[in-house]
Amino acid sequence: MINNARFITLEGSEGAGKTTALKTIKKILNIWGVDYICTREPGGEPNAEKIREILLHSEHLHAKTELLLMFAARNEHIENVIKPALNKGVWVVSDRFVDASYAYQGGGRELGYEVVKWMDDFIVGEVQADLTVLMDIEPEIGLQRIKSRGQADRIELEGIDFFHRLTKSYRDKAKLEPSKYAIIDASKSFKAVKLAIVSAFESKKQELM
Ligand code: Z5A
């Protein structure tokens, strides 16, 4: 935490309902009267958005290239958006952050925890989330939800084992620092998920404010 401003990240596998969760989080922060910005990864600033295009729409990328580009985009995002906002006392809500690298590249691509941890220490350092909302869902349910969405990007085209590995990596990462996480059962109905997010924020309010 810098200057009382808080850094909240939103994570989950495909079709976990992050977009829907973000709406609920915004409503909560509005009610709390917090000054905040919403951003996303990969992306969130011009150079990082260019890297996002390469990441999601290249025909092929080696796993290590993918990892390096995720962190290159993240460095631009941290230096140009996240740190300046937090330093001004503005809260930051990011749709995905470093846990996605542990999950997708460390787990999904099987590069392993250690190499991602090294990059995390090097690039993210102390700019860690105060709260990570993990939208937890079995891959079969999430993938079923996004089936009707049309053209899939490069990562969404992976096989089911990839999604099982990344789901496990998300869960394992959360176990390392449970107090930092709000784990939401994202397989429930829209209403139940919304209530679970509201309740999680209420229980963290004193700590965050
Ligand atoms: N990536 C990475 O590999 N490494 C990294 O370090 C980072 C990212 C930072 C970003 O893509 C990609 O980059 C992502 C990880 C990788 N993988 N891919 N591909 P993105 O930003 O374009 O997409 P996304 O992050 O996967 O999010 P999304 O697709 O926009 O959101 P979502 O969580 O998947 O779900 P949604 O759009 O909110 O909902 C999906 C559908 O489910 C939709 O039709 C909803 O109406 C429905 N839904 C949602 N909630 C419910 C409930 N409760 N019941 C029933 N139906 C529901």
Side-chain angles (χ1 to χ4, degrees), residues 158-201:
E158 287 299 325
I160 190 74
D161 291 349
F162 175 89
F163 292 101
H164 277 292
R165 286 196 298 274
L166 80 83
T167 301
K168 181 176 183 311
S169 298
Y170 266 135
R171 290 171 180 167
D172 289 348
K173 178 76 174 31
K175 280 183 202 147
L176 295 177
E177 227 180 329
S179 62
K180 207 189 87 174
Y181 287 82
I183 301 180
I184 307 296
D185 181 350
S187 65
K188 293 268 174 26
S189 69
F190 281 105
K191 193 175 168 194
V193 167
K194 188 177 168 183
L195 287 174
I197 294 171
V198 170
S199 153
F201 271 75

Short mmCIF file of all heavy atoms in Angstrom, two decimals, residues 158-201:
data_model
loop_
_atom_site.label_atom_id
_atom_site.label_comp_id
_atom_site.label_asym_id
_atom_site.label_seq_id
_atom_site.Cartn_x
_atom_site.Cartn_y
_atom_site.Cartn_z
N GLU A 158 -6.49 -23.34 -26.17
CA GLU A 158 -5.77 -24.45 -25.52
C GLU A 158 -6.72 -25.58 -25.10
O GLU A 158 -7.91 -25.36 -24.93
CB GLU A 158 -5.05 -23.91 -24.27
CG GLU A 158 -3.84 -23.07 -24.58
CD GLU A 158 -2.75 -23.84 -25.33
OE1 GLU A 158 -2.59 -25.05 -25.07
OE2 GLU A 158 -2.09 -23.23 -26.18
N GLY A 159 -6.14 -26.77 -24.87
CA GLY A 159 -6.93 -27.93 -24.46
C GLY A 159 -7.30 -27.88 -22.98
O GLY A 159 -6.77 -27.06 -22.22
N ILE A 160 -8.17 -28.77 -22.57
CA ILE A 160 -8.72 -28.76 -21.21
C ILE A 160 -7.65 -28.96 -20.13
O ILE A 160 -7.73 -28.37 -19.05
CB ILE A 160 -9.88 -29.80 -21.07
CG1 ILE A 160 -10.62 -29.63 -19.74
CG2 ILE A 160 -9.37 -31.23 -21.22
CD1 ILE A 160 -11.52 -28.43 -19.70
N ASP A 161 -6.59 -29.74 -20.42
CA ASP A 161 -5.53 -29.96 -19.42
C ASP A 161 -4.84 -28.66 -19.04
O ASP A 161 -4.48 -28.44 -17.89
CB ASP A 161 -4.47 -30.94 -19.95
CG ASP A 161 -5.03 -32.34 -20.08
OD1 ASP A 161 -6.14 -32.58 -19.55
OD2 ASP A 161 -4.36 -33.20 -20.70
N PHE A 162 -4.66 -27.81 -20.05
CA PHE A 162 -4.07 -26.48 -19.83
C PHE A 162 -4.90 -25.72 -18.79
O PHE A 162 -4.37 -25.14 -17.84
CB PHE A 162 -4.04 -25.73 -21.16
CG PHE A 162 -3.57 -24.31 -21.09
CD1 PHE A 162 -2.23 -23.99 -21.21
CD2 PHE A 162 -4.48 -23.26 -20.94
CE1 PHE A 162 -1.79 -22.66 -21.15
CE2 PHE A 162 -4.05 -21.94 -20.88
CZ PHE A 162 -2.72 -21.64 -21.00
N PHE A 163 -6.22 -25.75 -18.94
CA PHE A 163 -7.09 -25.00 -18.04
C PHE A 163 -7.15 -25.63 -16.65
O PHE A 163 -7.29 -24.94 -15.66
CB PHE A 163 -8.48 -24.82 -18.67
CG PHE A 163 -8.44 -23.93 -19.87
CD1 PHE A 163 -8.44 -24.44 -21.15
CD2 PHE A 163 -8.33 -22.55 -19.71
CE1 PHE A 163 -8.35 -23.62 -22.26
CE2 PHE A 163 -8.24 -21.71 -20.81
CZ PHE A 163 -8.25 -22.24 -22.08
N HIS A 164 -7.02 -26.97 -16.60
CA HIS A 164 -6.95 -27.62 -15.28
C HIS A 164 -5.67 -27.22 -14.56
O HIS A 164 -5.69 -26.94 -13.36
CB HIS A 164 -7.03 -29.15 -15.43
CG HIS A 164 -8.45 -29.63 -15.55
ND1 HIS A 164 -9.35 -29.55 -14.51
CD2 HIS A 164 -9.12 -30.17 -16.59
CE1 HIS A 164 -10.53 -30.03 -14.91
NE2 HIS A 164 -10.42 -30.41 -16.17
N ARG A 165 -4.56 -27.17 -15.29
CA ARG A 165 -3.29 -26.79 -14.65
C ARG A 165 -3.35 -25.36 -14.15
O ARG A 165 -2.90 -25.05 -13.05
CB ARG A 165 -2.12 -26.94 -15.65
CG ARG A 165 -1.72 -28.36 -15.93
CD ARG A 165 -0.34 -28.42 -16.60
NE ARG A 165 -0.31 -27.76 -17.90
CZ ARG A 165 -0.64 -28.33 -19.06
NH1 ARG A 165 -1.04 -29.59 -19.08
NH2 ARG A 165 -0.57 -27.66 -20.19
N LEU A 166 -3.93 -24.47 -14.96
CA LEU A 166 -3.93 -23.07 -14.52
C LEU A 166 -4.89 -22.85 -13.35
O LEU A 166 -4.61 -22.04 -12.45
CB LEU A 166 -4.19 -22.12 -15.70
CG LEU A 166 -5.58 -21.86 -16.25
CD1 LEU A 166 -6.34 -20.81 -15.48
CD2 LEU A 166 -5.46 -21.45 -17.71
N THR A 167 -5.98 -23.59 -13.33
CA THR A 167 -6.92 -23.46 -12.21
C THR A 167 -6.24 -23.91 -10.92
O THR A 167 -6.36 -23.27 -9.87
CB THR A 167 -8.18 -24.32 -12.50
OG1 THR A 167 -8.75 -23.86 -13.72
CG2 THR A 167 -9.21 -24.23 -11.39
N LYS A 168 -5.49 -25.00 -11.00
CA LYS A 168 -4.76 -25.50 -9.81
C LYS A 168 -3.72 -24.47 -9.36
O LYS A 168 -3.56 -24.22 -8.17
CB LYS A 168 -4.11 -26.84 -10.14
CG LYS A 168 -3.37 -27.43 -8.96
CD LYS A 168 -2.80 -28.81 -9.24
CE LYS A 168 -2.11 -29.42 -8.03
NZ LYS A 168 -1.14 -28.57 -7.35
N SER A 169 -3.04 -23.86 -10.34
CA SER A 169 -2.01 -22.87 -9.98
C SER A 169 -2.62 -21.67 -9.27
O SER A 169 -2.05 -21.15 -8.32
CB SER A 169 -1.25 -22.40 -11.21
OG SER A 169 -0.60 -23.48 -11.81
N TYR A 170 -3.78 -21.22 -9.75
CA TYR A 170 -4.47 -20.12 -9.06
C TYR A 170 -4.77 -20.52 -7.61
O TYR A 170 -4.53 -19.77 -6.68
CB TYR A 170 -5.80 -19.80 -9.76
CG TYR A 170 -5.76 -18.69 -10.79
CD1 TYR A 170 -6.37 -18.84 -12.03
CD2 TYR A 170 -5.15 -17.46 -10.52
CE1 TYR A 170 -6.37 -17.82 -12.98
CE2 TYR A 170 -5.15 -16.43 -11.46
CZ TYR A 170 -5.75 -16.62 -12.68
OH TYR A 170 -5.75 -15.60 -13.61
N ARG A 171 -5.31 -21.72 -7.45
CA ARG A 171 -5.70 -22.16 -6.10
C ARG A 171 -4.46 -22.31 -5.21
O ARG A 171 -4.47 -21.92 -4.04
CB ARG A 171 -6.47 -23.48 -6.18
CG ARG A 171 -7.86 -23.30 -6.80
CD ARG A 171 -8.54 -24.62 -7.09
NE ARG A 171 -9.87 -24.40 -7.68
CZ ARG A 171 -10.59 -25.35 -8.26
NH1 ARG A 171 -10.12 -26.60 -8.35
NH2 ARG A 171 -11.78 -25.07 -8.75
N ASP A 172 -3.38 -22.87 -5.77
CA ASP A 172 -2.15 -23.05 -4.98
C ASP A 172 -1.57 -21.71 -4.56
O ASP A 172 -1.10 -21.55 -3.43
CB ASP A 172 -1.09 -23.81 -5.80
CG ASP A 172 -1.46 -25.28 -5.99
OD1 ASP A 172 -2.39 -25.75 -5.31
OD2 ASP A 172 -0.82 -25.95 -6.84
N LYS A 173 -1.61 -20.75 -5.47
CA LYS A 173 -1.05 -19.43 -5.16
C LYS A 173 -1.85 -18.79 -4.01
O LYS A 173 -1.26 -18.20 -3.09
CB LYS A 173 -1.11 -18.54 -6.41
CG LYS A 173 -0.61 -17.12 -6.23
CD LYS A 173 0.90 -17.09 -6.17
CE LYS A 173 1.54 -15.71 -6.14
NZ LYS A 173 0.86 -14.62 -5.52
N ALA A 174 -3.17 -18.93 -4.06
CA ALA A 174 -4.01 -18.34 -3.02
C ALA A 174 -3.74 -18.97 -1.65
O ALA A 174 -3.82 -18.31 -0.62
CB ALA A 174 -5.49 -18.49 -3.40
N LYS A 175 -3.38 -20.25 -1.67
CA LYS A 175 -3.10 -20.93 -0.39
C LYS A 175 -1.84 -20.39 0.29
O LYS A 175 -1.66 -20.54 1.49
CB LYS A 175 -2.91 -22.44 -0.64
CG LYS A 175 -4.22 -23.18 -0.78
CD LYS A 175 -3.96 -24.67 -0.96
CE LYS A 175 -5.16 -25.33 -1.63
NZ LYS A 175 -4.79 -26.44 -2.50
N LEU A 176 -0.95 -19.78 -0.50
CA LEU A 176 0.30 -19.27 0.08
C LEU A 176 0.08 -18.06 0.96
O LEU A 176 0.88 -17.74 1.83
CB LEU A 176 1.29 -18.90 -1.04
CG LEU A 176 1.81 -20.04 -1.91
CD1 LEU A 176 2.72 -19.49 -3.00
CD2 LEU A 176 2.56 -21.06 -1.06
N GLU A 177 -1.01 -17.31 0.68
CA GLU A 177 -1.26 -16.06 1.41
C GLU A 177 -2.76 -15.85 1.54
O GLU A 177 -3.32 -14.88 1.02
CB GLU A 177 -0.68 -14.90 0.57
CG GLU A 177 0.16 -13.93 1.35
CD GLU A 177 0.69 -12.83 0.44
OE1 GLU A 177 0.93 -13.11 -0.75
OE2 GLU A 177 0.82 -11.71 0.92
N PRO A 178 -3.46 -16.79 2.23
CA PRO A 178 -4.93 -16.79 2.20
C PRO A 178 -5.59 -15.48 2.60
O PRO A 178 -6.63 -15.13 2.04
CB PRO A 178 -5.31 -17.92 3.19
CG PRO A 178 -4.05 -18.47 3.70
CD PRO A 178 -2.88 -17.83 3.06
N SER A 179 -4.98 -14.74 3.52
CA SER A 179 -5.66 -13.52 4.00
C SER A 179 -5.74 -12.45 2.92
O SER A 179 -6.53 -11.51 3.02
CB SER A 179 -4.93 -12.97 5.23
OG SER A 179 -3.62 -12.63 4.85
N LYS A 180 -4.93 -12.57 1.87
CA LYS A 180 -4.93 -11.57 0.80
C LYS A 180 -6.03 -11.84 -0.23
O LYS A 180 -6.28 -11.02 -1.11
CB LYS A 180 -3.56 -11.62 0.12
CG LYS A 180 -3.12 -10.33 -0.51
CD LYS A 180 -1.86 -10.51 -1.34
CE LYS A 180 -2.17 -10.94 -2.76
NZ LYS A 180 -0.97 -10.98 -3.62
N TYR A 181 -6.66 -13.01 -0.13
CA TYR A 181 -7.60 -13.44 -1.18
C TYR A 181 -9.05 -13.43 -0.74
O TYR A 181 -9.35 -13.75 0.42
CB TYR A 181 -7.25 -14.86 -1.66
CG TYR A 181 -5.99 -14.88 -2.50
CD1 TYR A 181 -4.74 -14.88 -1.88
CD2 TYR A 181 -6.05 -14.85 -3.88
CE1 TYR A 181 -3.58 -14.87 -2.63
CE2 TYR A 181 -4.89 -14.83 -4.64
CZ TYR A 181 -3.66 -14.85 -4.01
OH TYR A 181 -2.52 -14.81 -4.77
N ALA A 182 -9.93 -13.11 -1.70
CA ALA A 182 -11.35 -13.40 -1.54
C ALA A 182 -11.64 -14.42 -2.64
O ALA A 182 -11.57 -14.10 -3.83
CB ALA A 182 -12.17 -12.13 -1.75
N ILE A 183 -11.89 -15.65 -2.23
CA ILE A 183 -12.14 -16.69 -3.23
C ILE A 183 -13.65 -16.85 -3.39
O ILE A 183 -14.37 -17.16 -2.43
CB ILE A 183 -11.48 -18.03 -2.82
CG1 ILE A 183 -9.96 -17.81 -2.67
CG2 ILE A 183 -11.77 -19.12 -3.87
CD1 ILE A 183 -9.18 -19.03 -2.27
N ILE A 184 -14.11 -16.58 -4.61
CA ILE A 184 -15.55 -16.58 -4.89
C ILE A 184 -15.89 -17.83 -5.70
O ILE A 184 -15.23 -18.11 -6.71
CB ILE A 184 -15.92 -15.32 -5.71
CG1 ILE A 184 -15.43 -14.02 -5.03
CG2 ILE A 184 -17.42 -15.27 -6.02
CD1 ILE A 184 -16.05 -13.71 -3.68
N ASP A 185 -16.92 -18.54 -5.27
CA ASP A 185 -17.37 -19.69 -6.06
C ASP A 185 -18.12 -19.15 -7.28
O ASP A 185 -19.31 -18.80 -7.21
CB ASP A 185 -18.29 -20.58 -5.21
CG ASP A 185 -18.76 -21.81 -6.00
OD1 ASP A 185 -18.53 -21.85 -7.23
OD2 ASP A 185 -19.35 -22.71 -5.39
N ALA A 186 -17.39 -19.08 -8.42
CA ALA A 186 -17.91 -18.42 -9.62
C ALA A 186 -18.85 -19.32 -10.41
O ALA A 186 -19.40 -18.89 -11.43
CB ALA A 186 -16.75 -17.95 -10.49
N SER A 187 -19.06 -20.54 -9.95
CA SER A 187 -19.97 -21.44 -10.69
C SER A 187 -21.42 -21.19 -10.30
O SER A 187 -22.35 -21.68 -10.94
CB SER A 187 -19.60 -22.90 -10.41
OG SER A 187 -19.84 -23.19 -9.05
N LYS A 188 -21.62 -20.39 -9.24
CA LYS A 188 -22.98 -20.12 -8.75
C LYS A 188 -23.72 -19.13 -9.68
O LYS A 188 -23.13 -18.60 -10.62
CB LYS A 188 -22.89 -19.54 -7.33
CG LYS A 188 -22.37 -20.53 -6.30
CD LYS A 188 -23.52 -21.24 -5.67
CE LYS A 188 -23.25 -22.37 -4.72
NZ LYS A 188 -22.06 -22.48 -3.98
N SER A 189 -24.99 -18.88 -9.36
CA SER A 189 -25.80 -17.97 -10.18
C SER A 189 -25.25 -16.54 -10.11
O SER A 189 -24.49 -16.21 -9.19
CB SER A 189 -27.24 -17.96 -9.66
OG SER A 189 -27.26 -17.33 -8.40
N PHE A 190 -25.67 -15.70 -11.05
CA PHE A 190 -25.24 -14.30 -11.05
C PHE A 190 -25.50 -13.66 -9.68
O PHE A 190 -24.64 -12.99 -9.12
CB PHE A 190 -26.01 -13.49 -12.11
CG PHE A 190 -25.49 -13.68 -13.51
CD1 PHE A 190 -26.18 -14.46 -14.43
CD2 PHE A 190 -24.32 -13.05 -13.93
CE1 PHE A 190 -25.71 -14.62 -15.73
CE2 PHE A 190 -23.84 -13.21 -15.22
CZ PHE A 190 -24.53 -13.99 -16.12
N LYS A 191 -26.71 -13.93 -9.16
CA LYS A 191 -27.11 -13.29 -7.90
C LYS A 191 -26.23 -13.78 -6.74
O LYS A 191 -25.75 -12.98 -5.93
CB LYS A 191 -28.59 -13.62 -7.62
CG LYS A 191 -29.17 -12.76 -6.53
CD LYS A 191 -30.65 -13.01 -6.36
CE LYS A 191 -31.12 -12.35 -5.07
NZ LYS A 191 -32.42 -12.81 -4.65
N ALA A 192 -25.99 -15.09 -6.70
CA ALA A 192 -25.19 -15.66 -5.61
C ALA A 192 -23.75 -15.15 -5.67
O ALA A 192 -23.13 -14.86 -4.64
CB ALA A 192 -25.23 -17.19 -5.69
N VAL A 193 -23.22 -15.02 -6.89
CA VAL A 193 -21.84 -14.53 -7.05
C VAL A 193 -21.76 -13.07 -6.57
O VAL A 193 -20.85 -12.70 -5.83
CB VAL A 193 -21.39 -14.65 -8.53
CG1 VAL A 193 -20.11 -13.88 -8.79
CG2 VAL A 193 -21.20 -16.13 -8.90
N LYS A 194 -22.75 -12.29 -6.98
CA LYS A 194 -22.77 -10.88 -6.57
C LYS A 194 -22.80 -10.76 -5.04
O LYS A 194 -22.02 -10.01 -4.45
CB LYS A 194 -24.00 -10.21 -7.19
CG LYS A 194 -24.04 -8.73 -7.00
CD LYS A 194 -25.25 -8.14 -7.70
CE LYS A 194 -25.41 -6.70 -7.26
NZ LYS A 194 -26.60 -6.07 -7.81
N LEU A 195 -23.67 -11.55 -4.41
CA LEU A 195 -23.78 -11.51 -2.95
C LEU A 195 -22.47 -11.94 -2.29
O LEU A 195 -22.05 -11.37 -1.27
CB LEU A 195 -24.92 -12.42 -2.47
CG LEU A 195 -26.33 -11.89 -2.74
CD1 LEU A 195 -27.38 -12.94 -2.37
CD2 LEU A 195 -26.58 -10.60 -1.95
N ALA A 196 -21.82 -12.93 -2.87
CA ALA A 196 -20.55 -13.41 -2.30
C ALA A 196 -19.46 -12.33 -2.38
O ALA A 196 -18.67 -12.16 -1.45
CB ALA A 196 -20.10 -14.67 -3.03
N ILE A 197 -19.47 -11.58 -3.49
CA ILE A 197 -18.47 -10.50 -3.64
C ILE A 197 -18.75 -9.38 -2.63
O ILE A 197 -17.85 -8.90 -1.94
CB ILE A 197 -18.45 -9.96 -5.09
CG1 ILE A 197 -17.96 -11.05 -6.04
CG2 ILE A 197 -17.56 -8.72 -5.20
CD1 ILE A 197 -18.09 -10.72 -7.52
N VAL A 198 -20.03 -9.00 -2.51
CA VAL A 198 -20.40 -7.95 -1.56
C VAL A 198 -20.00 -8.36 -0.14
O VAL A 198 -19.38 -7.60 0.61
CB VAL A 198 -21.92 -7.65 -1.64
CG1 VAL A 198 -22.37 -6.74 -0.50
CG2 VAL A 198 -22.27 -7.03 -2.99
N SER A 199 -20.29 -9.62 0.19
CA SER A 199 -19.98 -10.09 1.54
C SER A 199 -18.46 -10.13 1.78
O SER A 199 -17.97 -9.76 2.86
CB SER A 199 -20.65 -11.47 1.71
OG SER A 199 -19.99 -12.25 2.61
N ALA A 200 -17.70 -10.54 0.76
CA ALA A 200 -16.24 -10.58 0.90
C ALA A 200 -15.68 -9.17 1.13
O ALA A 200 -14.82 -8.96 1.99
CB ALA A 200 -15.61 -11.20 -0.36
N PHE A 201 -16.20 -8.19 0.39
CA PHE A 201 -15.71 -6.82 0.55
C PHE A 201 -16.11 -6.27 1.93
O PHE A 201 -15.34 -5.56 2.56
CB PHE A 201 -16.21 -5.91 -0.58
CG PHE A 201 -15.28 -5.90 -1.76
CD1 PHE A 201 -15.22 -6.98 -2.63
CD2 PHE A 201 -14.43 -4.83 -1.99
CE1 PHE A 201 -14.34 -7.00 -3.71
CE2 PHE A 201 -13.54 -4.83 -3.07
CZ PHE A 201 -13.49 -5.91 -3.93
#
